[in-house]
Amino acid sequence: MGIFVFCLMFIIFSIGGGILYLIYLPFKIYLKRKQKLSRELSRKINIAYILTILFAIVYITYDSLYPSESFYEEEFKTVTLREIPESAEFIEKSASYPDFKGEYCSSSQIKLSKSDYKKLLKELNDDKRISEEKEIVGFAEFKNTLKEKKDNKIIKKFTRKIEGEEDHFLNIFFYDDEQTIFVNICVT
C-alpha cells in the first residue's frame, strides 16, 4: 500500500510541479537575458525545487499512511460532537488508507482521567443525537486498537447516525476500567 501511495503522490506532484515549472520558465529566460540570474543560481533554484517536491511527496505519503494525533482528535469530535478532553492520551491508533471512493476505517484507544470518562459517559447518555448501541461492529482497525483488552468488557456502546449518510458508522465504546474509550469510524 505504501508503494502505491508513494507512486500516486509522485505522479500527482510531478504533473503539478511540471506545470508550475512551465509557468516559471518564461521568467527564468527573461532574467537570464537581463543577466539578473546566473547559471549557478538557476541550478541551485532547480535543485531546491526538486528537493521541495520530493520532501512534499514523502511527507504526504507518510502522513496518509500514519495519521497524526490531530486526525484522531478530529475523529473523536466527529463521533461525539465534542472537543477531546485535556486528559486524553492515545494508547493505540489504527486507520486504513481511503480508497478511491473515500471508504476507510479508523479506530483509537484513548485513556481519559476517571472524571473525564464519567463526564463524557454522562453527556453521551443525555445527548439525543447519539444513541446507545447493542452490538459491537467489528473491523480490522478496531481489533488492532483493542490489543490486550477484551471486547466483552466494553460496558457502553454509542453510535451517532448522520442523516443521508447511512454508510458512515460512528461509534464510541466505554471499557470497564472507567478510563478507556474506543472511538471508531468506518465509512463503507
Side-chain angles (χ1 to χ4, degrees):
M1 180 57 104
I3 298 295
F4 172 74
V5 173
F6 181 81
C7 290
L8 182 65
M9 291 298 121
F10 185 81
I11 291 167
I12 291 169
F13 274 82
S14 295
I15 292 169
I19 291 169
L20 283 175
Y21 193 80
L22 288 175
I23 293 170
Y24 161 73
L25 204 53
F27 296 108
K28 175 181 166 181
I29 293 168
Y30 173 78
L31 291 172
K32 277 189 163 183
R33 282 191 188 147
K34 294 288 184 179
Q35 296 181 345
K36 295 187 180 199
L37 181 66
S38 68
R39 180 174 286 203
E40 182 63 25
L41 182 57
S42 177
R43 191 175 69 75
K44 287 179 182 178
I45 290 171
N46 290 342
I47 290 171
Y49 185 70
I50 290 169
L51 290 176
T52 301
I53 289 174
L54 287 175
F55 175 77
I57 292 168
V58 169
Y59 175 78
I60 290 173
T61 301
Y62 182 82
D63 192 53
S64 296
L65 296 173
Y66 306 103
S68 65
E69 282 189 1
S70 64
F71 169 81
Y72 294 98
E73 289 171 2
E74 282 300 313
E75 299 283 89
F76 177 89
K77 192 173 181 180
T78 300
V79 172
T80 65
L81 302 172
R82 289 158 176 73
E83 294 296 327
I84 194 162
E86 288 287 323
S87 67
E89 176 188 343
F90 288 91
I91 305 301
E92 294 291 336
K93 305 173 294 205
S94 181
S96 62
Y97 188 75
D99 65 11
F100 290 109
K101 293 185 255 173
E103 296 178 354
Y104 80 100
C105 294
S106 73
S107 181
S108 58
Q109 181 186 143
I110 304 169
K111 184 177 181 180
L112 303 175
S113 68
K114 290 192 183 240
S115 61
D116 281 341
Y117 177 96
K118 289 175 184 173
K119 179 182 176 214
L120 181 63
L121 182 56
K122 182 181 178 339
E123 287 177 1
L124 294 180
N125 266 325
D126 297 340
D127 194 331
K128 302 292 183 223
R129 302 169 294 180
I130 298 171
S131 59
E132 195 167 341
E133 183 72 44
K134 300 292 180 222
E135 294 183 33
I136 294 176
V137 177
F139 53 94
E141 289 72 23
F142 173 60
K143 289 184 183 6
N144 291 343
T145 59
L146 197 58
K147 290 291 183 190
E148 77 286 344
K149 300 207 178 319
K150 306 287 184 227
D151 62 358
N152 63 349
K153 295 211 177 201
I154 292 173
I155 58 170
K156 279 283 195 176
K157 302 171 265 311
F158 294 97
T159 188
R160 184 170 83 81
K161 304 226 184 287
I162 302 173
E163 193 173 321
E165 295 184 355
E166 286 73 26
D167 60 345
H168 287 59
F169 299 94
L170 313 175
N171 300 296
I172 181 167
F173 303 149
F174 288 78
Y175 201 69
D176 75 349
D177 64 359
E178 296 186 349
Q179 284 191 297
T180 305
I181 61 171
F182 295 89
V183 176
N184 305 307
I185 293 183
C186 204
V187 179
T188 59

